[in-house]
Amino acid sequence: MTALQQHATGDGRTRVSLPELLALRAQVGRAVLPQQVSRAGRMGQQASRLQGRGMDYAESRVYQGGDDVRRLDWRLTARSGKLHTKLFQEEREGRLLILIDSHPAMRFGTRTRFKSVQAARAAAWAAWCAVKAGERVAMMGFGAHDELLTPRAGPRGALAVCGALAQWDARADALPGESLSAALQRAGRVLHGASRVLLISDGGCSDEPARRQLLELGRKTRFGVLALADPLEVNALPPGRYPLEHDGERVEWLAYADRQRHALQRVLGSGHARLLDLARGAGVACRTVTTADEPFESTAALLGVRGSAR
């Protein structure tokens, strides 16, 4: 069996199903992302005198004191007899960067599907939305995989995301765990001019230094956090015996009394709670989605998508 066939045979519950990710394209419907593509654009459309990466020519005007002489418009200067300088503005093509958690703890779920599968579905849907709205899409994995997909436009961008999600999920190799702060710091170095960032994680790798990283990224981009959780982590637990396994050690937690059930839920949901606290403290948008939910409405809200579902 080839690697592609293995990716395609995922059951959509414990393993990512590539056909399902590809089929999500039809669910995007009439997705429309907001026109503004950067913090600078939202603060006011203003041309810059400097030209750099991600800058488009806007117009030329009469030279003013302090203008960069390297940006002189020599053709207009020759025609008019007066010095003119070129003005530039940020490129209008938006970019979405998806940060997806691939820690081994994501391979868990007691209802409907694993968190890892839910994360892939949300990421693929976001990618299809972005390319339909004319944006480039990039993706960075952290945790078990640290690969980076550079920004791509059109259907190829979403196809690359879907293929990578299936490949990463099918591989057994894993890197040492990466803290959320380290992942966000790495993301800050590979933004590639992204105007939107979507973080998909269950919060198990959350750490306090991530708060500062979220604040910094939130100033540069429209940042959204999709916090994944198993229903046991966020809903009231029914009385019973709960088998748990950690580092190869299996134990059974007796949870019959209210105090026992609340204590177990705090343990199970600690990562999710930390992630919510970090996001709210940093002032970035955050939505919770369980493994039994459809993640598309929450993902749409974080991306600012309108008319997202058929």
Side-chain angles (χ1 to χ4, degrees):
M1 182 180 292
T2 67
L4 182 58
Q5 288 173 326
Q6 290 176 336
H7 301 158
T9 55
D11 58 14
R13 297 186 299 275
T14 63
R15 290 291 180 177
V16 170
S17 167
L18 180 57
E20 180 186 14
L21 302 187
L22 299 178
L24 290 175
R25 180 179 188 178
Q27 292 191 21
V28 170
R30 300 178 179 179
V32 178
L33 283 118
Q35 294 299 312
Q36 58 266 32
V37 300
S38 70
R39 289 281 184 184
R42 288 196 294 272
M43 293 169 61
Q45 299 294 338
Q46 184 174 355
S48 169
R49 291 181 296 177
L50 301 179
Q51 179 184 13
R53 295 181 61 185
M55 304 297 285
D56 290 333
Y57 170 76
E59 61 179 340
S60 295
R61 61 161 168 74
V62 175
Y63 177 85
Q64 298 178 4
D67 285 349
D68 190 341
V69 296
R70 294 173 298 178
R71 307 304 175 201
L72 288 176
D73 187 336
W74 293 110
R75 291 186 179 180
L76 185 55
T77 295
R79 291 200 304 268
S80 65
K82 296 181 179 180
L83 284 176
H84 281 73
T85 188
K86 294 180 179 179
L87 302 180
F88 296 85
Q89 63 184 10
E90 290 183 272
E91 63 184 15
R92 295 175 182 174
E93 183 183 62
R95 293 181 181 179
L96 169 67
L97 173 62
I98 302 171
L99 308 179
I100 187 162
D101 192 340
S102 62
H103 282 87
M106 293 283 287
R107 295 186 183 275
F108 173 78
T110 63
R111 299 288 189 278
T112 311
R113 56 181 66 88
F114 278 4
K115 287 185 280 188
S116 56
V117 174
Q118 187 75 303
R121 297 172 77 236
W125 192 87
W128 286 119
C129 267
V131 298
K132 186 175 182 66
E135 293 202 332
R136 290 178 178 267
V137 61
M139 183 170 69
M140 186 192 93
F142 65 96
H145 308 291
D146 64 354
E147 288 92 339
L148 172 68
L149 292 182
T150 56
R152 299 186 188 184
R156 289 184 179 180
L159 288 172
V161 167
C162 293
L165 289 167
Q167 290 172 10
W168 296 354
D169 183 75
R171 280 176 12 204
D173 58 310
L175 297 172
E178 183 178 20
S179 67
L180 181 58
S181 60
L184 293 176
Q185 189 172 27
R186 184 156 58 91
R189 297 193 294 266
V190 298
L191 280 177
H192 295 298
S195 52
R196 292 179 180 80
V197 177
L198 177 64
L199 169 65
I200 306 175
S201 172
D202 70 348
C205 59
S206 299
D207 57 342
E208 185 57 32
R211 194 181 303 273
R212 182 171 61 86
Q213 300 296 334
L214 284 171
L215 280 168
E216 292 181 0
L217 290 173
R219 295 190 186 104
K220 298 176 182 177
T221 66
R222 174 171 181 156
F223 200 101
V225 177
L226 188 66
L228 299 180
D230 184 83
L232 287 182
E233 299 169 346
V234 294
N235 298 328
L237 299 178
R241 296 171 177 262
Y242 292 86
L244 303 175
E245 185 173 338
H246 179 68
D247 289 339
E249 182 179 355
R250 187 179 178 88
V251 298
E252 191 173 64
W253 190 306
L254 302 180
Y256 289 101
D258 289 345
R259 179 177 58 82
Q260 294 170 327
R261 296 201 303 274
H262 293 158
L264 177 57
Q265 188 174 52
R266 285 196 298 271
V267 171
L268 295 176
S270 59
H272 175 260
R274 286 197 304 271
L275 183 57
L276 291 182
D277 178 67
L278 289 172
R280 291 164 180 166
V284 300
C286 184
R287 290 291 186 100
T288 291
V289 170
T290 75
T291 58
D293 299 329
E294 288 296 354
F296 311 128
E297 182 178 346
S298 293
T299 304
L302 293 172
L303 294 176
V305 173
R306 294 179 288 106
S308 56
R310 280 186 169 181

PDB file of all heavy atoms in Angstrom, residues 282-309:
ATOM      1  N   ALA A 282      -4.523  37.811  26.739  1.00  0.00           N
ATOM      2  CA  ALA A 282      -3.825  38.514  25.659  1.00  0.00           C
ATOM      3  C   ALA A 282      -4.778  39.295  24.767  1.00  0.00           C
ATOM      4  O   ALA A 282      -4.347  39.998  23.851  1.00  0.00           O
ATOM      5  CB  ALA A 282      -3.027  37.526  24.815  1.00  0.00           C
ATOM      6  N   GLY A 283      -6.072  39.143  25.015  1.00  0.00           N
ATOM      7  CA  GLY A 283      -7.052  39.889  24.229  1.00  0.00           C
ATOM      8  C   GLY A 283      -7.248  39.369  22.822  1.00  0.00           C
ATOM      9  O   GLY A 283      -7.639  40.127  21.929  1.00  0.00           O
ATOM     10  N   VAL A 284      -6.985  38.068  22.599  1.00  0.00           N
ATOM     11  CA  VAL A 284      -7.196  37.506  21.267  1.00  0.00           C
ATOM     12  C   VAL A 284      -8.479  36.670  21.273  1.00  0.00           C
ATOM     13  O   VAL A 284      -8.882  36.118  22.293  1.00  0.00           O
ATOM     14  CB  VAL A 284      -5.994  36.642  20.811  1.00  0.00           C
ATOM     15  CG1 VAL A 284      -4.727  37.466  20.769  1.00  0.00           C
ATOM     16  CG2 VAL A 284      -5.801  35.439  21.716  1.00  0.00           C
ATOM     17  N   ALA A 285      -9.105  36.590  20.110  1.00  0.00           N
ATOM     18  CA  ALA A 285     -10.364  35.857  19.989  1.00  0.00           C
ATOM     19  C   ALA A 285     -10.141  34.371  20.213  1.00  0.00           C
ATOM     20  O   ALA A 285      -9.135  33.804  19.768  1.00  0.00           O
ATOM     21  CB  ALA A 285     -10.964  36.091  18.604  1.00  0.00           C
ATOM     22  N   CYS A 286     -11.089  33.729  20.889  1.00  0.00           N
ATOM     23  CA  CYS A 286     -10.945  32.314  21.214  1.00  0.00           C
ATOM     24  C   CYS A 286     -12.316  31.642  21.194  1.00  0.00           C
ATOM     25  O   CYS A 286     -13.300  32.211  21.675  1.00  0.00           O
ATOM     26  CB  CYS A 286     -10.281  32.146  22.582  1.00  0.00           C
ATOM     27  SG  CYS A 286      -9.941  30.425  23.030  1.00  0.00           S
ATOM     28  N   ARG A 287     -12.374  30.467  20.617  1.00  0.00           N
ATOM     29  CA  ARG A 287     -13.598  29.658  20.599  1.00  0.00           C
ATOM     30  C   ARG A 287     -13.264  28.233  21.020  1.00  0.00           C
ATOM     31  O   ARG A 287     -12.214  27.706  20.666  1.00  0.00           O
ATOM     32  CB  ARG A 287     -14.206  29.631  19.190  1.00  0.00           C
ATOM     33  CG  ARG A 287     -14.817  30.961  18.709  1.00  0.00           C
ATOM     34  CD  ARG A 287     -16.071  31.299  19.479  1.00  0.00           C
ATOM     35  NE  ARG A 287     -16.742  32.466  18.954  1.00  0.00           N
ATOM     36  CZ  ARG A 287     -17.802  32.437  18.151  1.00  0.00           C
ATOM     37  NH1 ARG A 287     -18.301  31.270  17.763  1.00  0.00           N
ATOM     38  NH2 ARG A 287     -18.371  33.542  17.723  1.00  0.00           N
ATOM     39  N   THR A 288     -14.172  27.586  21.758  1.00  0.00           N
ATOM     40  CA  THR A 288     -13.995  26.195  22.158  1.00  0.00           C
ATOM     41  C   THR A 288     -14.827  25.291  21.250  1.00  0.00           C
ATOM     42  O   THR A 288     -15.988  25.592  20.957  1.00  0.00           O
ATOM     43  CB  THR A 288     -14.437  25.987  23.619  1.00  0.00           C
ATOM     44  OG1 THR A 288     -13.527  26.657  24.488  1.00  0.00           O
ATOM     45  CG2 THR A 288     -14.435  24.504  23.975  1.00  0.00           C
ATOM     46  N   VAL A 289     -14.222  24.198  20.815  1.00  0.00           N
ATOM     47  CA  VAL A 289     -14.905  23.195  20.007  1.00  0.00           C
ATOM     48  C   VAL A 289     -14.562  21.825  20.575  1.00  0.00           C
ATOM     49  O   VAL A 289     -13.388  21.526  20.801  1.00  0.00           O
ATOM     50  CB  VAL A 289     -14.468  23.264  18.526  1.00  0.00           C
ATOM     51  CG1 VAL A 289     -15.003  22.059  17.755  1.00  0.00           C
ATOM     52  CG2 VAL A 289     -14.962  24.540  17.880  1.00  0.00           C
ATOM     53  N   THR A 290     -15.567  20.996  20.819  1.00  0.00           N
ATOM     54  CA  THR A 290     -15.302  19.647  21.299  1.00  0.00           C
ATOM     55  C   THR A 290     -15.194  18.685  20.119  1.00  0.00           C
ATOM     56  O   THR A 290     -15.538  19.029  18.982  1.00  0.00           O
ATOM     57  CB  THR A 290     -16.407  19.148  22.254  1.00  0.00           C
ATOM     58  OG1 THR A 290     -17.574  18.802  21.499  1.00  0.00           O
ATOM     59  CG2 THR A 290     -16.749  20.200  23.298  1.00  0.00           C
ATOM     60  N   THR A 291     -14.769  17.471  20.418  1.00  0.00           N
ATOM     61  CA  THR A 291     -14.609  16.470  19.370  1.00  0.00           C
ATOM     62  C   THR A 291     -15.960  16.028  18.798  1.00  0.00           C
ATOM     63  O   THR A 291     -16.003  15.412  17.730  1.00  0.00           O
ATOM     64  CB  THR A 291     -13.868  15.241  19.912  1.00  0.00           C
ATOM     65  OG1 THR A 291     -14.606  14.702  21.017  1.00  0.00           O
ATOM     66  CG2 THR A 291     -12.475  15.616  20.370  1.00  0.00           C
ATOM     67  N   ALA A 292     -17.039  16.320  19.490  1.00  0.00           N
ATOM     68  CA  ALA A 292     -18.365  15.938  19.015  1.00  0.00           C
ATOM     69  C   ALA A 292     -19.048  17.055  18.229  1.00  0.00           C
ATOM     70  O   ALA A 292     -20.138  16.853  17.680  1.00  0.00           O
ATOM     71  CB  ALA A 292     -19.252  15.536  20.198  1.00  0.00           C
ATOM     72  N   ASP A 293     -18.428  18.232  18.162  1.00  0.00           N
ATOM     73  CA  ASP A 293     -19.025  19.379  17.466  1.00  0.00           C
ATOM     74  C   ASP A 293     -18.574  19.423  16.014  1.00  0.00           C
ATOM     75  O   ASP A 293     -17.596  18.793  15.614  1.00  0.00           O
ATOM     76  CB  ASP A 293     -18.608  20.691  18.139  1.00  0.00           C
ATOM     77  CG  ASP A 293     -19.062  20.793  19.576  1.00  0.00           C
ATOM     78  OD1 ASP A 293     -20.125  20.212  19.897  1.00  0.00           O
ATOM     79  OD2 ASP A 293     -18.359  21.440  20.377  1.00  0.00           O
ATOM     80  N   GLU A 294     -19.270  20.226  15.224  1.00  0.00           N
ATOM     81  CA  GLU A 294     -18.757  20.614  13.916  1.00  0.00           C
ATOM     82  C   GLU A 294     -17.989  21.920  14.132  1.00  0.00           C
ATOM     83  O   GLU A 294     -18.545  22.876  14.702  1.00  0.00           O
ATOM     84  CB  GLU A 294     -19.889  20.808  12.908  1.00  0.00           C
ATOM     85  CG  GLU A 294     -20.541  19.520  12.454  1.00  0.00           C
ATOM     86  CD  GLU A 294     -19.595  18.603  11.702  1.00  0.00           C
ATOM     87  OE1 GLU A 294     -18.442  18.986  11.409  1.00  0.00           O
ATOM     88  OE2 GLU A 294     -19.997  17.459  11.412  1.00  0.00           O
ATOM     89  N   PRO A 295     -16.741  22.006  13.703  1.00  0.00           N
ATOM     90  CA  PRO A 295     -15.905  23.161  14.036  1.00  0.00           C
ATOM     91  C   PRO A 295     -16.043  24.345  13.098  1.00  0.00           C
ATOM     92  O   PRO A 295     -15.422  25.376  13.308  1.00  0.00           O
ATOM     93  CB  PRO A 295     -14.487  22.584  13.921  1.00  0.00           C
ATOM     94  CG  PRO A 295     -14.601  21.581  12.818  1.00  0.00           C
ATOM     95  CD  PRO A 295     -15.976  20.977  12.974  1.00  0.00           C
ATOM     96  N   PHE A 296     -16.868  24.241  12.076  1.00  0.00           N
ATOM     97  CA  PHE A 296     -16.836  25.216  10.999  1.00  0.00           C
ATOM     98  C   PHE A 296     -17.386  26.584  11.396  1.00  0.00           C
ATOM     99  O   PHE A 296     -16.849  27.616  11.000  1.00  0.00           O
ATOM    100  CB  PHE A 296     -17.577  24.659   9.780  1.00  0.00           C
ATOM    101  CG  PHE A 296     -17.136  23.264   9.429  1.00  0.00           C
ATOM    102  CD1 PHE A 296     -18.055  22.242   9.271  1.00  0.00           C
ATOM    103  CD2 PHE A 296     -15.788  22.965   9.290  1.00  0.00           C
ATOM    104  CE1 PHE A 296     -17.643  20.953   8.980  1.00  0.00           C
ATOM    105  CE2 PHE A 296     -15.356  21.684   8.992  1.00  0.00           C
ATOM    106  CZ  PHE A 296     -16.294  20.673   8.840  1.00  0.00           C
ATOM    107  N   GLU A 297     -18.458  26.616  12.176  1.00  0.00           N
ATOM    108  CA  GLU A 297     -19.016  27.900  12.576  1.00  0.00           C
ATOM    109  C   GLU A 297     -18.035  28.677  13.456  1.00  0.00           C
ATOM    110  O   GLU A 297     -17.839  29.884  13.275  1.00  0.00           O
ATOM    111  CB  GLU A 297     -20.334  27.693  13.320  1.00  0.00           C
ATOM    112  CG  GLU A 297     -21.006  28.999  13.736  1.00  0.00           C
ATOM    113  CD  GLU A 297     -22.336  28.778  14.437  1.00  0.00           C
ATOM    114  OE1 GLU A 297     -22.868  27.651  14.363  1.00  0.00           O
ATOM    115  OE2 GLU A 297     -22.836  29.733  15.055  1.00  0.00           O
ATOM    116  N   SER A 298     -17.404  27.989  14.398  1.00  0.00           N
ATOM    117  CA  SER A 298     -16.431  28.654  15.268  1.00  0.00           C
ATOM    118  C   SER A 298     -15.207  29.104  14.484  1.00  0.00           C
ATOM    119  O   SER A 298     -14.667  30.194  14.716  1.00  0.00           O
ATOM    120  CB  SER A 298     -16.007  27.711  16.400  1.00  0.00           C
ATOM    121  OG  SER A 298     -17.082  27.453  17.269  1.00  0.00           O
ATOM    122  N   THR A 299     -14.757  28.285  13.548  1.00  0.00           N
ATOM    123  CA  THR A 299     -13.611  28.657  12.712  1.00  0.00           C
ATOM    124  C   THR A 299     -13.946  29.877  11.865  1.00  0.00           C
ATOM    125  O   THR A 299     -13.133  30.790  11.716  1.00  0.00           O
ATOM    126  CB  THR A 299     -13.208  27.483  11.810  1.00  0.00           C
ATOM    127  OG1 THR A 299     -12.937  26.334  12.611  1.00  0.00           O
ATOM    128  CG2 THR A 299     -11.963  27.819  11.010  1.00  0.00           C
ATOM    129  N   ALA A 300     -15.156  29.896  11.326  1.00  0.00           N
ATOM    130  CA  ALA A 300     -15.590  31.039  10.524  1.00  0.00           C
ATOM    131  C   ALA A 300     -15.580  32.320  11.343  1.00  0.00           C
ATOM    132  O   ALA A 300     -15.146  33.375  10.878  1.00  0.00           O
ATOM    133  CB  ALA A 300     -16.985  30.781   9.958  1.00  0.00           C
ATOM    134  N   ALA A 301     -16.065  32.239  12.578  1.00  0.00           N
ATOM    135  CA  ALA A 301     -16.098  33.427  13.433  1.00  0.00           C
ATOM    136  C   ALA A 301     -14.693  33.949  13.713  1.00  0.00           C
ATOM    137  O   ALA A 301     -14.461  35.163  13.724  1.00  0.00           O
ATOM    138  CB  ALA A 301     -16.808  33.095  14.741  1.00  0.00           C
ATOM    139  N   LEU A 302     -13.753  33.052  13.922  1.00  0.00           N
ATOM    140  CA  LEU A 302     -12.386  33.472  14.206  1.00  0.00           C
ATOM    141  C   LEU A 302     -11.718  34.093  12.989  1.00  0.00           C
ATOM    142  O   LEU A 302     -10.870  34.979  13.117  1.00  0.00           O
ATOM    143  CB  LEU A 302     -11.558  32.278  14.689  1.00  0.00           C
ATOM    144  CG  LEU A 302     -11.958  31.707  16.052  1.00  0.00           C
ATOM    145  CD1 LEU A 302     -11.203  30.414  16.324  1.00  0.00           C
ATOM    146  CD2 LEU A 302     -11.690  32.720  17.165  1.00  0.00           C
ATOM    147  N   LEU A 303     -12.095  33.628  11.806  1.00  0.00           N
ATOM    148  CA  LEU A 303     -11.507  34.166  10.585  1.00  0.00           C
ATOM    149  C   LEU A 303     -12.242  35.396  10.071  1.00  0.00           C
ATOM    150  O   LEU A 303     -11.763  36.068   9.160  1.00  0.00           O
ATOM    151  CB  LEU A 303     -11.509  33.102   9.486  1.00  0.00           C
ATOM    152  CG  LEU A 303     -10.625  31.866   9.699  1.00  0.00           C
ATOM    153  CD1 LEU A 303     -10.824  30.872   8.561  1.00  0.00           C
ATOM    154  CD2 LEU A 303      -9.173  32.273   9.812  1.00  0.00           C
ATOM    155  N   GLY A 304     -13.397  35.681  10.638  1.00  0.00           N
ATOM    156  CA  GLY A 304     -14.197  36.803  10.144  1.00  0.00           C
ATOM    157  C   GLY A 304     -14.886  36.469   8.843  1.00  0.00           C
ATOM    158  O   GLY A 304     -15.129  37.346   8.010  1.00  0.00           O
ATOM    159  N   VAL A 305     -15.238  35.186   8.648  1.00  0.00           N
ATOM    160  CA  VAL A 305     -15.853  34.747   7.420  1.00  0.00           C
ATOM    161  C   VAL A 305     -17.359  35.021   7.457  1.00  0.00           C
ATOM    162  O   VAL A 305     -18.011  34.808   8.469  1.00  0.00           O
ATOM    163  CB  VAL A 305     -15.608  33.233   7.200  1.00  0.00           C
ATOM    164  CG1 VAL A 305     -16.388  32.714   5.995  1.00  0.00           C
ATOM    165  CG2 VAL A 305     -14.129  32.989   7.023  1.00  0.00           C
ATOM    166  N   ARG A 306     -17.875  35.483   6.336  1.00  0.00           N
ATOM    167  CA  ARG A 306     -19.321  35.652   6.181  1.00  0.00           C
ATOM    168  C   ARG A 306     -19.844  34.695   5.110  1.00  0.00           C
ATOM    169  O   ARG A 306     -19.135  34.400   4.157  1.00  0.00           O
ATOM    170  CB  ARG A 306     -19.656  37.092   5.760  1.00  0.00           C
ATOM    171  CG  ARG A 306     -19.327  38.133   6.829  1.00  0.00           C
ATOM    172  CD  ARG A 306     -19.653  39.528   6.347  1.00  0.00           C
ATOM    173  NE  ARG A 306     -18.701  39.997   5.333  1.00  0.00           N
ATOM    174  CZ  ARG A 306     -18.936  40.104   4.066  1.00  0.00           C
ATOM    175  NH1 ARG A 306     -20.131  39.780   3.590  1.00  0.00           N
ATOM    176  NH2 ARG A 306     -18.032  40.559   3.220  1.00  0.00           N
ATOM    177  N   GLY A 307     -21.093  34.241   5.276  1.00  0.00           N
ATOM    178  CA  GLY A 307     -21.687  33.352   4.274  1.00  0.00           C
ATOM    179  C   GLY A 307     -20.875  32.096   4.082  1.00  0.00           C
ATOM    180  O   GLY A 307     -20.619  31.691   2.945  1.00  0.00           O
ATOM    181  N   SER A 308     -20.464  31.463   5.193  1.00  0.00           N
ATOM    182  CA  SER A 308     -19.511  30.376   5.096  1.00  0.00           C
ATOM    183  C   SER A 308     -20.117  29.014   4.819  1.00  0.00           C
ATOM    184  O   SER A 308     -19.446  28.123   4.373  1.00  0.00           O
ATOM    185  CB  SER A 308     -18.708  30.281   6.402  1.00  0.00           C
ATOM    186  OG  SER A 308     -19.583  30.124   7.490  1.00  0.00           O
ATOM    187  N   ALA A 309     -21.377  28.825   5.142  1.00  0.00           N
ATOM    188  CA  ALA A 309     -21.946  27.485   5.022  1.00  0.00           C
ATOM    189  C   ALA A 309     -23.066  27.448   4.006  1.00  0.00           C
ATOM    190  O   ALA A 309     -23.816  28.398   3.853  1.00  0.00           O
ATOM    191  CB  ALA A 309     -22.471  27.018   6.383  1.00  0.00           C
TER     192      ALA A 309
END
